[in-house]
Amino acid sequence: MAETDAAPSLFLGRAGDDDVTLRLDRANRHGVVAGATGTGKTITLQIMAQGFAEAGVPVFCADVKGDLSGVSQPGQPSEKILARGQGMGLNMTPKAPPVVFWDLYGQKGHPIRATVSDVGPLLLGRMLELNDVQEGVLTVAFHVADTEGLLLLDLDDLRSLLTYVAENADRIGREVGHVAPASIAAIQRALLSLEKQGGQSFFGEPALRLEDMIRTNLSGQGQVNVLAADRLMNSPRLYAAFLLWLLSELFEQLPEVGDPDKPRLVFFFDEAHLLFRDTPRPLLEKVEQVVRLIRSKGVGVYFVTQNPADIPDSVLAQLGNRIQHALRAYTPAEQRGLKAASGSFRTNPDFDTAETIQALGVGEALVSTLDAKGAPTVVARTAIRPPVSRMGPATDAERASVMAQSPVRGTYDTPLDRESAHEMLTARAAAAQAETDRAEASEAQAKADAAAAKARDKAEREADREAARQTRARAPTRRASNRQSAGEAFTKSMLRSVGSTLGRELLRGVLGGLKRR
């Protein structure tokens, strides 16, 4: 760290006999580090990260190729490096800043997780490469989750929510707009693709707490947060959306501080062109807003890319500090990029900017930073200082040793799976199924009871018919018996009649004889 006009500053290198520095009180005005492959961008990023850390400023940067991890180890400078440093008046004592390794996949660093709700439908749609209609359906799904109290933490939650929305599409469509089954299916397929790219590891809990990145150690040095991004680069959408999410979280959570004496955090966007490739207009507006306003939160954002032309003009205009390594201009597109890069600097009468950019050697850059009044300084051809930490990657054993001493060791390493939308919707479905099963069982029992009653009625009717048949079978015997009884009664009646007639005649004869006498 050096001082210019009594203001603390970061020493970048020498331009002839003059020191080239970056004022810390202007470091939150953002910047860009550009240059072709192999021109020294990573070393510049490394010396800036270590310089900010020594000034007590925490840093976040992505390690795209794996060689930035060497910042965690003291350097072993060669004689050439020692001579270069001594020529700049530097003490080249090997040392390393405090480093914490992070990895979305949890393999080369502590896992970084965010909940689905934290990411939101806009960035998630960016990750999933959805079209406008599909993003609208995803927004509807998030609205349903909010209104029905469904926590969206991981991809299982989102998948269950989408299934729920599809099953209730008619009702939801009447409330918030049509939900096409085809769009739901497309989002589900995109989620499957994201999961295969490792997205499942990113979504969940415990979610990252920003205070675990914005740290200083007991010596007052800022923590350098190094994100292992070599594997993540195979999923550029996930990489870009993750970095933008992190920047958005910083913007939303940090309080306003205006222009502090030094930044609260410096954020490096390596391979920044991935952030802006095929960027839809709403997302680009979000980037512009965050970059423009996060300065007042005390956060400096530095884009690292091959050509400044990779960055939209609306964003590039916000970047006051510029470090341009060599560019090659063989094609018409490269020549246009060279012209744009040279035109962004304040002209130095001592050289032609466009020609100098092409003539720069490894470890050289054109540098223009902001002065005390916030105006760009005249561009200077600068020999970038060498780092005192290692130039090259850390070994697996060294990385493991750094992680074992990490202040966040054990905080994020074990995933947490608490009750959320997936469990809640599964419970709802189970309860609904149980109610359906009870209704079906009740209906089945009613049918069984009706069948049993019908069977009883049929049996009773059969019994009545059988009794009637038996009655008819016995009926002839009774009639015969009755006929016999009637004949007997007639005979007896006749006998009684005959007997009665004879009796009367005999009685009349007796009485008549007595009368005659």
Short mmCIF file of all heavy atoms in Angstrom, two decimals, residues 408-441:
data_model
loop_
_atom_site.label_atom_id
_atom_site.label_comp_id
_atom_site.label_asym_id
_atom_site.label_seq_id
_atom_site.Cartn_x
_atom_site.Cartn_y
_atom_site.Cartn_z
N VAL A 408 -14.82 -20.34 9.05
CA VAL A 408 -16.18 -20.85 8.83
C VAL A 408 -16.20 -22.38 8.75
O VAL A 408 -17.17 -22.96 8.29
CB VAL A 408 -16.81 -20.24 7.56
CG1 VAL A 408 -16.97 -18.74 7.69
CG2 VAL A 408 -16.00 -20.58 6.32
N ARG A 409 -15.12 -23.02 9.19
CA ARG A 409 -15.06 -24.48 9.14
C ARG A 409 -16.23 -25.08 9.94
O ARG A 409 -16.44 -24.73 11.09
CB ARG A 409 -13.73 -24.97 9.70
CG ARG A 409 -13.57 -26.49 9.71
CD ARG A 409 -12.14 -26.87 10.08
NE ARG A 409 -11.75 -26.34 11.38
CZ ARG A 409 -11.91 -26.99 12.54
NH1 ARG A 409 -12.44 -28.20 12.54
NH2 ARG A 409 -11.54 -26.44 13.67
N GLY A 410 -16.97 -25.97 9.30
CA GLY A 410 -18.10 -26.64 9.95
C GLY A 410 -19.41 -25.89 9.87
O GLY A 410 -20.46 -26.45 10.17
N THR A 411 -19.37 -24.63 9.44
CA THR A 411 -20.61 -23.84 9.39
C THR A 411 -21.49 -24.24 8.22
O THR A 411 -22.72 -24.33 8.36
CB THR A 411 -20.27 -22.34 9.28
OG1 THR A 411 -19.45 -21.97 10.39
CG2 THR A 411 -21.54 -21.50 9.30
N TYR A 412 -20.89 -24.50 7.07
CA TYR A 412 -21.66 -24.77 5.86
C TYR A 412 -21.45 -26.19 5.31
O TYR A 412 -22.11 -26.56 4.34
CB TYR A 412 -21.29 -23.77 4.76
CG TYR A 412 -21.55 -22.34 5.13
CD1 TYR A 412 -20.52 -21.50 5.57
CD2 TYR A 412 -22.83 -21.80 5.06
CE1 TYR A 412 -20.75 -20.19 5.91
CE2 TYR A 412 -23.08 -20.48 5.41
CZ TYR A 412 -22.04 -19.68 5.83
OH TYR A 412 -22.28 -18.38 6.17
N ASP A 413 -20.57 -26.94 5.93
CA ASP A 413 -20.17 -28.22 5.33
C ASP A 413 -21.27 -29.27 5.37
O ASP A 413 -21.29 -30.18 4.53
CB ASP A 413 -18.92 -28.75 6.04
CG ASP A 413 -17.74 -27.80 5.90
OD1 ASP A 413 -17.72 -27.04 4.92
OD2 ASP A 413 -16.86 -27.80 6.78
N THR A 414 -22.19 -29.21 6.33
CA THR A 414 -23.27 -30.19 6.44
C THR A 414 -24.58 -29.56 5.99
O THR A 414 -25.02 -28.56 6.56
CB THR A 414 -23.42 -30.68 7.89
OG1 THR A 414 -22.18 -31.23 8.33
CG2 THR A 414 -24.51 -31.74 7.98
N PRO A 415 -25.21 -30.11 4.95
CA PRO A 415 -26.48 -29.52 4.48
C PRO A 415 -27.60 -29.69 5.49
O PRO A 415 -27.61 -30.62 6.30
CB PRO A 415 -26.77 -30.30 3.18
CG PRO A 415 -26.04 -31.59 3.34
CD PRO A 415 -24.81 -31.28 4.16
N LEU A 416 -28.56 -28.78 5.44
CA LEU A 416 -29.72 -28.78 6.33
C LEU A 416 -30.99 -28.94 5.48
O LEU A 416 -31.14 -28.26 4.47
CB LEU A 416 -29.78 -27.47 7.12
CG LEU A 416 -30.99 -27.22 8.02
CD1 LEU A 416 -31.02 -28.24 9.15
CD2 LEU A 416 -30.95 -25.80 8.58
N ASP A 417 -31.84 -29.85 5.90
CA ASP A 417 -33.08 -30.09 5.15
C ASP A 417 -34.26 -29.96 6.09
O ASP A 417 -34.68 -30.92 6.73
CB ASP A 417 -33.05 -31.48 4.51
CG ASP A 417 -34.25 -31.72 3.59
OD1 ASP A 417 -34.92 -30.73 3.24
OD2 ASP A 417 -34.52 -32.89 3.25
N ARG A 418 -34.79 -28.76 6.21
CA ARG A 418 -35.95 -28.55 7.08
C ARG A 418 -37.24 -28.57 6.27
O ARG A 418 -37.23 -28.61 5.04
CB ARG A 418 -35.82 -27.24 7.86
CG ARG A 418 -35.75 -25.98 7.02
CD ARG A 418 -35.44 -24.80 7.91
NE ARG A 418 -35.25 -23.58 7.16
CZ ARG A 418 -36.06 -22.52 7.25
NH1 ARG A 418 -37.12 -22.55 8.03
NH2 ARG A 418 -35.81 -21.43 6.55
N GLU A 419 -38.37 -28.55 6.99
CA GLU A 419 -39.66 -28.66 6.32
C GLU A 419 -39.87 -27.44 5.43
O GLU A 419 -39.74 -26.30 5.85
CB GLU A 419 -40.79 -28.75 7.34
CG GLU A 419 -42.14 -28.98 6.69
CD GLU A 419 -43.27 -29.05 7.71
OE1 GLU A 419 -43.35 -28.14 8.56
OE2 GLU A 419 -44.06 -30.00 7.65
N SER A 420 -40.21 -27.70 4.19
CA SER A 420 -40.42 -26.63 3.21
C SER A 420 -41.50 -27.07 2.24
O SER A 420 -42.31 -27.97 2.54
CB SER A 420 -39.10 -26.30 2.51
OG SER A 420 -38.49 -27.46 2.01
N ALA A 421 -41.55 -26.44 1.07
CA ALA A 421 -42.66 -26.67 0.14
C ALA A 421 -42.81 -28.14 -0.23
O ALA A 421 -43.93 -28.65 -0.31
CB ALA A 421 -42.45 -25.83 -1.12
N HIS A 422 -41.70 -28.81 -0.47
CA HIS A 422 -41.78 -30.22 -0.87
C HIS A 422 -42.47 -31.05 0.20
O HIS A 422 -43.40 -31.82 -0.08
CB HIS A 422 -40.38 -30.76 -1.14
CG HIS A 422 -40.33 -32.23 -1.44
ND1 HIS A 422 -40.91 -32.77 -2.58
CD2 HIS A 422 -39.80 -33.28 -0.76
CE1 HIS A 422 -40.72 -34.08 -2.58
NE2 HIS A 422 -40.05 -34.41 -1.49
N GLU A 423 -42.02 -30.89 1.46
CA GLU A 423 -42.62 -31.66 2.54
C GLU A 423 -44.07 -31.24 2.79
O GLU A 423 -44.94 -32.09 3.04
CB GLU A 423 -41.80 -31.48 3.82
CG GLU A 423 -40.44 -32.15 3.80
CD GLU A 423 -39.40 -31.38 3.02
OE1 GLU A 423 -39.66 -30.19 2.69
OE2 GLU A 423 -38.33 -31.94 2.73
N MET A 424 -44.33 -29.93 2.70
CA MET A 424 -45.69 -29.45 2.96
C MET A 424 -46.66 -29.93 1.89
O MET A 424 -47.77 -30.38 2.20
CB MET A 424 -45.68 -27.92 3.03
CG MET A 424 -44.85 -27.37 4.18
SD MET A 424 -44.56 -25.58 4.09
CE MET A 424 -46.19 -24.96 4.44
N LEU A 425 -46.25 -29.86 0.63
CA LEU A 425 -47.13 -30.31 -0.44
C LEU A 425 -47.28 -31.82 -0.44
O LEU A 425 -48.35 -32.35 -0.75
CB LEU A 425 -46.59 -29.83 -1.79
CG LEU A 425 -46.67 -28.32 -2.02
CD1 LEU A 425 -45.97 -27.93 -3.31
CD2 LEU A 425 -48.12 -27.85 -2.05
N THR A 426 -46.21 -32.52 -0.05
CA THR A 426 -46.31 -33.98 0.07
C THR A 426 -47.29 -34.35 1.18
O THR A 426 -48.10 -35.28 1.02
CB THR A 426 -44.92 -34.58 0.36
OG1 THR A 426 -44.03 -34.27 -0.72
CG2 THR A 426 -45.01 -36.09 0.51
N ALA A 427 -47.23 -33.62 2.30
CA ALA A 427 -48.17 -33.87 3.39
C ALA A 427 -49.60 -33.57 2.97
O ALA A 427 -50.53 -34.32 3.29
CB ALA A 427 -47.79 -33.03 4.62
N ARG A 428 -49.78 -32.46 2.22
CA ARG A 428 -51.12 -32.14 1.72
C ARG A 428 -51.64 -33.24 0.81
O ARG A 428 -52.80 -33.68 0.91
CB ARG A 428 -51.08 -30.83 0.93
CG ARG A 428 -50.99 -29.58 1.75
CD ARG A 428 -51.18 -28.38 0.83
NE ARG A 428 -50.81 -27.13 1.45
CZ ARG A 428 -50.89 -25.95 0.84
NH1 ARG A 428 -51.32 -25.89 -0.41
NH2 ARG A 428 -50.53 -24.85 1.46
N ALA A 429 -50.78 -33.70 -0.09
CA ALA A 429 -51.18 -34.75 -1.02
C ALA A 429 -51.51 -36.03 -0.26
O ALA A 429 -52.48 -36.73 -0.59
CB ALA A 429 -50.09 -35.01 -2.04
N ALA A 430 -50.71 -36.34 0.77
CA ALA A 430 -50.98 -37.54 1.56
C ALA A 430 -52.30 -37.43 2.31
O ALA A 430 -53.08 -38.39 2.38
CB ALA A 430 -49.83 -37.78 2.55
N ALA A 431 -52.57 -36.22 2.87
CA ALA A 431 -53.84 -36.01 3.58
C ALA A 431 -55.01 -36.11 2.61
O ALA A 431 -56.05 -36.71 2.93
CB ALA A 431 -53.83 -34.65 4.27
N ALA A 432 -54.86 -35.50 1.43
CA ALA A 432 -55.93 -35.58 0.43
C ALA A 432 -56.15 -37.02 -0.02
O ALA A 432 -57.28 -37.46 -0.20
CB ALA A 432 -55.58 -34.70 -0.77
N GLN A 433 -55.04 -37.77 -0.18
CA GLN A 433 -55.17 -39.16 -0.59
C GLN A 433 -55.83 -39.98 0.51
O GLN A 433 -56.66 -40.86 0.23
CB GLN A 433 -53.78 -39.74 -0.91
CG GLN A 433 -53.81 -41.16 -1.45
CD GLN A 433 -54.58 -41.27 -2.74
OE1 GLN A 433 -54.41 -40.44 -3.64
NE2 GLN A 433 -55.44 -42.27 -2.86
N ALA A 434 -55.47 -39.68 1.77
CA ALA A 434 -56.09 -40.39 2.89
C ALA A 434 -57.59 -40.10 2.95
O ALA A 434 -58.39 -41.00 3.19
CB ALA A 434 -55.42 -39.99 4.20
N GLU A 435 -57.96 -38.83 2.70
CA GLU A 435 -59.37 -38.48 2.68
C GLU A 435 -60.09 -39.17 1.53
O GLU A 435 -61.21 -39.68 1.70
CB GLU A 435 -59.52 -36.96 2.55
CG GLU A 435 -60.96 -36.46 2.60
CD GLU A 435 -61.64 -36.75 3.93
OE1 GLU A 435 -60.94 -36.80 4.95
OE2 GLU A 435 -62.87 -36.95 3.93
N THR A 436 -59.42 -39.23 0.39
CA THR A 436 -59.99 -39.95 -0.76
C THR A 436 -60.14 -41.42 -0.44
O THR A 436 -61.17 -42.04 -0.76
CB THR A 436 -59.09 -39.76 -1.99
OG1 THR A 436 -59.00 -38.37 -2.30
CG2 THR A 436 -59.65 -40.51 -3.19
N ASP A 437 -59.12 -41.99 0.21
CA ASP A 437 -59.20 -43.40 0.58
C ASP A 437 -60.33 -43.65 1.56
O ASP A 437 -61.05 -44.66 1.44
CB ASP A 437 -57.87 -43.85 1.19
CG ASP A 437 -56.73 -43.88 0.18
OD1 ASP A 437 -57.04 -43.86 -1.03
OD2 ASP A 437 -55.56 -43.90 0.61
N ARG A 438 -60.51 -42.72 2.52
CA ARG A 438 -61.61 -42.87 3.48
C ARG A 438 -62.95 -42.78 2.77
O ARG A 438 -63.88 -43.56 3.06
CB ARG A 438 -61.51 -41.81 4.58
CG ARG A 438 -60.44 -42.08 5.60
CD ARG A 438 -60.61 -41.20 6.83
NE ARG A 438 -60.39 -39.80 6.50
CZ ARG A 438 -59.22 -39.20 6.56
NH1 ARG A 438 -58.15 -39.89 6.92
NH2 ARG A 438 -59.09 -37.93 6.28
N ALA A 439 -63.06 -41.81 1.85
CA ALA A 439 -64.31 -41.68 1.11
C ALA A 439 -64.59 -42.92 0.27
O ALA A 439 -65.72 -43.41 0.21
CB ALA A 439 -64.26 -40.43 0.23
N GLU A 440 -63.54 -43.42 -0.37
CA GLU A 440 -63.72 -44.62 -1.18
C GLU A 440 -64.07 -45.82 -0.31
O GLU A 440 -64.90 -46.65 -0.69
CB GLU A 440 -62.45 -44.89 -1.98
CG GLU A 440 -62.20 -43.88 -3.08
CD GLU A 440 -60.89 -44.13 -3.82
OE1 GLU A 440 -60.12 -45.00 -3.34
OE2 GLU A 440 -60.65 -43.48 -4.85
N ALA A 441 -63.41 -45.91 0.88
CA ALA A 441 -63.72 -47.01 1.79
C ALA A 441 -65.16 -46.91 2.28
O ALA A 441 -65.87 -47.93 2.39
CB ALA A 441 -62.75 -47.01 2.97
#
